[in-house]
Amino acid sequence: MKLTLVHLYPKLLNIYGDYGNIIALKYRAEKRGIKLTVRPVEVGEPLKNGSFELLFAGGGQDQQQVTASRDLQKKKMVLRAASDAGVPMLTICGSFQLFGDFFKPFAGPKLKGVGLLPAYTVADKVRKIGNLVIKLNPSLRSTIDNLKSDLLVGFENHSGNTWLKDKSSALGKVVIGHGNNGKDHTEGCRINNVFGCYLHGSLLPKNPHFADHLIKLALTNKYGPVKLKPLNDRLEWQAHRQAVARAKKLAHPLLKYI
Ligand code: GLN
């Protein structure tokens, strides 16, 4: 089996080390004999309907998001069609914000989004920075195989406050940290198989259950129902547990909801 993963704006949206998610997806696919081709798509480069089975986009500073917002207007119809076709996508922070309706930075004009995720973002003058642990949305938990943990753990660093049009579209509930806006205890957003969140870290290397879920969705979409053979994830789960324990130990009491 083979998959094509589009990495959107790897040069433009790359300052929070999110490339580790690409490495994790490639590793976990190829360990199972699945050929995963990573195709970078930069600003101004074409994105064709039906040319990819997975998509990833990372985070970036407000300035880079201005350029990304403009280019996304030329790609949004393809992205929306891919979402309707069930293509799994993972967007982190800056790209997450731009997969919603808009991102209004603290300074400067509102940046138009793709209008795919049912959310919008308005920057706050106080940045939300720190470890972030969330409990996966029950509706998503029930679809993830070999669920050894119902948590996702990462690191957040954003000015944006993201508001969901429907809280049931949240990726999960904040256990430690700020999440979407530091107020309604939601984190991330999902529609179809499109996921957005504030979890840098990189997210997937220490959340193997979610990495496998994305691969399973892509394969199922292309080939029909599949069951992924388990990998030896001793180190990945050790990293997951240690990151959660460290987040719990260091968290400010006002940012702990356990
Ligand atoms: N520039 C956006 C913000 O500050 C996104 C930051 C990011 O991608 N980490 O909210």
Side-chain angles (χ1 to χ4, degrees), residues 130-168:
N131 295 309
L132 177 57
V133 180
I134 72 167
K135 196 175 182 72
L136 285 164
N137 187 319
S139 62
L140 177 60
R141 273 206 305 263
S142 58
T143 65
I144 295 180
D145 298 336
N146 317 320
L147 193 69
K148 289 194 177 65
S149 164
D150 61 359
L151 303 177
L152 292 179
V153 57
F155 189 85
E156 62 183 328
N157 179 344
H158 54 106
S159 67
N161 285 336
T162 295
W163 303 97
L164 305 182
K165 294 179 187 172
D166 169 0
K167 286 189 185 168
S168 66

Side-chain angles (χ1 to χ4, degrees), residues 3 21 24-32 34 54 88 90 143-148 152 195 203-220 226-233 236-237:
L3 296 170
N21 294 301
L25 287 168
K26 198 152 170 66
Y27 166 78
R28 301 189 70 79
E30 295 185 347
K31 267 282 188 188
R32 293 170 166 118
I34 301 156
L54 251 172
L90 177 62
T143 65
I144 295 180
D145 298 336
N146 317 320
L147 193 69
K148 289 194 177 65
L152 292 179
F195 303 93
L203 171 65
L204 298 180
K206 53 179 176 290
N207 295 280
H209 47 325
F210 195 51
D212 283 353
H213 186 60
L214 294 169
I215 294 170
K216 187 188 84 173
L217 288 172
L219 290 172
T220 301
V226 294
K227 201 112 174 90
L228 292 180
K229 79 172 166 57
L231 298 180
N232 173 356
D233 286 333
E236 288 81 354
W237 285 116

Side-chain angles (χ1 to χ4, degrees), residues 16 59-62 65 93-94 97 127 157-160 200:
Y16 292 91
Q61 296 174 112
D62 296 9
Q65 288 176 280
C93 203
Q97 295 169 340
R127 288 194 76 80
N157 179 344
H158 54 106
S159 67
H200 292 296

Side-chain angles (χ1 to χ4, degrees), residues 60-67 97 103 105-107 111 123 127 159:
Q61 296 174 112
D62 296 9
Q63 194 47 50
Q64 282 75 28
Q65 288 176 280
V66 174
T67 308
Q97 295 169 340
F103 169 48
F106 197 66
L111 306 179
R127 288 194 76 80
S159 67

